[in-house]
């Protein structure tokens, strides 16, 4: 029996399968949506900024009170926001608890996190299976190499690891795509709810920024006016007059901080990215269809049967 032609058929089948998979990307982690993780990081940064603003306001207010021996403070003492903010003992905990107290927000975030974690589990499972498949392929190759009677079939069984690995990868692409498809509607609901709740939570940071900004300017004004006799008579000359260079440096430092506090993540864009990337995952995975997997399977079986000298069985009747 001449085995050369079937072996070539086998090689062609392997090549076709590899090309199909490479078009979807060999590294599955590269097609996973990154937006859910980016959202979690963005929200954390947003909370950190707000808590830092509160802490900075409290520090500037205490400094101003100390310099003026309690005669001068930030903002209006009767302002409810000023009263509340000066009494916050742990700014970080306060901000986090404010987010957690919003049940709609926390429930929606949980949906996105669970979805992201599940996709990662699918990829991790595939990675573990690929390692096992590689071990299987090595065992098969060892048998063919050490048993002389199987030598003629070596070229036919050598690609077993590639074929099984590719089929496992096909299944993984399909699982990722189906998950993305099933989760499309729940994700849209979760994103819509987060977008509706975000302005309220964002308002807390905006209020904290306003208080800090006003307080920082108040402290600068105090340092600027301490040499003014009428001002000193009211608030006390407890510091020496600052030089122009000192005041310039203090003002520049204020401007730098102000700019940094303005550089907060665009949560709205991160939420939009979640939906965009989920749609992309559906489209990318759909390139590997169930029909393409079935057709590739038939080609592999036919090549294997020909290589081993076994006649291919006729396709089952549709009526059966």
């Amino acid at each position: 029996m001449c085995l050369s032609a079937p072996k070539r058929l086998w090689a062609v089948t392997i090549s076709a399968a590899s090309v199909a998979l490479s078009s979807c990307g060999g590294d599955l982690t590269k097609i996973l949506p990154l937006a859910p993780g980016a959202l979690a990081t963005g929200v954390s940064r947003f909370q950190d900024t707000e808590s830092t603003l509160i802490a900075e306001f409290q520090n500037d207010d205490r400094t101003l009170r100390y310099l003026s021996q309690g005669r001068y403070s930030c903002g209006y003492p009767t302002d409810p926001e000023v009263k509340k903010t000066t009494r916050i003992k742990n700014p970080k905990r306060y901000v986090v608890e404010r987010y957690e107290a919003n049940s709609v927000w926390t429930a929606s975030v949980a949906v996105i996190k669970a979805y992201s974690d599940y996709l990662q589990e699918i990829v991790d499972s595939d990675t573990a299976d690929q390692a096992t498949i590689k071990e299987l392929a090595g065992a098969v190759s060892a048998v063919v190499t050490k048993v002389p009677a199987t030598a003629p079939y070596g070229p036919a069984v050598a690609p077993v690891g590639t074929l099984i690995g590719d089929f496992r990868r096909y299944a993984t692409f399909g699982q990722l795509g189906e998950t993305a498809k099933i989760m499309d509607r729940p994700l849209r609901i979760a994103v819509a709810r987060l977008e509706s709740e975000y302005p309220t939570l964002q308002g807390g940071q905006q209020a904290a920024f306003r208080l800090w900004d006003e307080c920082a300017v108040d402290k600068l004004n105090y340092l600027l006016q301490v040499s003014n006799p009428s001002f000193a008579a009211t608030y006390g000359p407890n510091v020496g007059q600052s030089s122009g260079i000192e005041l310039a440096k203090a003002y520049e430092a204020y401007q730098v901080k102000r700019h940094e506090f303005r550089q907060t993540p665009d949560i709205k864009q991160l939420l939009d990215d979640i939906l965009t990337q989920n749609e992309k995952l559906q489209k990318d995975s759909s390139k590997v269809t169930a029909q393409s997997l079935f057709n590739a399977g038939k080609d592999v079986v036919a090549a294997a049967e020909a290589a081993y000298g076994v006649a291919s069985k006729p396709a089952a009747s549709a009526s059966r």
Side-chain angles (χ1 to χ4, degrees):
M1 175 185 294
C2 177
L3 298 177
S4 59
K7 290 172 187 173
R8 283 197 298 271
L9 174 59
W10 187 281
V12 169
T13 302
I14 298 169
S15 176
S18 298
V19 170
L21 284 171
S22 64
S23 67
C24 297
D27 186 357
L28 291 177
T29 59
K30 292 182 179 180
I31 71 169
L32 286 180
L34 299 178
L39 175 66
T41 301
V43 171
S44 179
R45 282 183 54 199
F46 206 86
Q47 293 174 341
D48 287 343
T49 298
E50 182 178 344
S51 61
T52 301
L53 283 166
I54 293 173
E56 290 276 350
F57 164 80
Q58 292 178 338
N59 182 64
D60 285 349
D61 182 60
R62 285 192 294 267
T63 300
L64 194 53
R65 290 172 185 271
Y66 173 78
L67 292 175
S68 66
Q69 294 186 342
R71 296 183 179 91
Y72 198 60
S73 63
C74 286
Y76 294 97
T78 57
D79 185 341
E81 284 295 324
V82 171
K83 287 183 177 181
K84 181 184 72 174
T85 307
T86 53
R87 294 171 183 171
I88 295 173
K89 294 182 179 180
N90 188 324
K92 178 64 176 178
R93 184 185 303 167
Y94 166 79
V95 174
V96 172
E97 288 179 350
R98 190 165 63 84
Y99 275 71
E100 292 177 347
N102 188 318
S103 59
V104 175
W105 175 273
T106 55
S108 301
V109 168
V111 169
I112 294 173
K113 183 181 184 303
Y115 165 66
S116 180
D117 290 346
Y118 182 65
L119 291 182
Q120 187 62 55
E121 287 181 8
I122 294 174
V123 171
D124 291 344
S125 176
D126 177 86
T127 301
D129 286 350
Q130 293 291 344
T132 304
I133 291 167
K134 184 177 181 180
E135 182 180 353
L136 171 62
V140 171
S141 297
V143 170
V144 173
T145 302
K146 296 180 180 180
V147 182
T150 63
Y153 310 117
V157 300
V160 64
T162 301
L163 289 168
I164 296 177
D166 282 353
F167 280 126
R168 177 65 176 87
R169 187 58 51 85
Y170 271 124
T172 301
F173 274 117
Q175 191 174 3
L176 289 171
E178 284 302 312
T179 302
K181 183 178 180 180
I182 293 171
M183 285 298 298
D184 186 79
R185 181 58 179 165
L187 282 177
R188 292 184 184 279
I189 294 174
V191 166
R193 288 180 174 176
L194 289 175
E195 289 180 341
S196 67
E197 295 298 320
Y198 179 64
T200 300
L201 296 173
Q202 185 184 33
Q205 190 197 79
Q206 292 172 337
F209 179 84
R210 177 182 63 81
L211 289 178
W212 167 81
D213 190 54
E214 291 176 354
C215 189
V217 172
D218 281 347
K219 189 172 70 171
L220 287 171
N221 286 335
Y222 180 85
L223 295 175
L224 182 64
Q225 299 183 62
V226 288
S227 61
N228 185 320
S230 62
F231 185 86
T234 303
Y235 298 109
N238 301 306
V239 294
Q241 182 177 6
S242 299
S243 70
I245 294 177
E246 290 175 334
L247 284 173
K249 288 183 177 180
Y251 184 73
E252 288 171 1
Y254 156 71
Q255 291 283 21
V256 170
K257 276 190 177 182
R258 194 175 195 278
H259 177 73
E260 290 176 352
F261 287 141
R262 286 292 193 186
Q263 305 306 304
T264 54
D266 186 348
I267 304 298
K268 175 64 169 62
Q269 183 60 56
L270 293 175
L271 291 171
D272 291 342
D273 288 345
I274 290 175
L275 300 181
T276 300
Q277 291 178 15
N278 192 60
E279 291 174 358
K280 186 177 186 301
L281 179 57
Q282 294 179 64
K283 293 178 182 177
D284 288 347
S285 61
S286 67
K287 296 175 184 177
V288 183
T289 63
Q291 186 61 44
S292 67
L293 176 60
F294 177 72
N295 292 338
K298 289 197 300 182
D299 292 341
V300 170
V301 171
E305 291 177 343
Y308 285 96
V310 180
S312 297
K313 298 180 181 179
S317 172
S319 62
R320 299 175 61 187

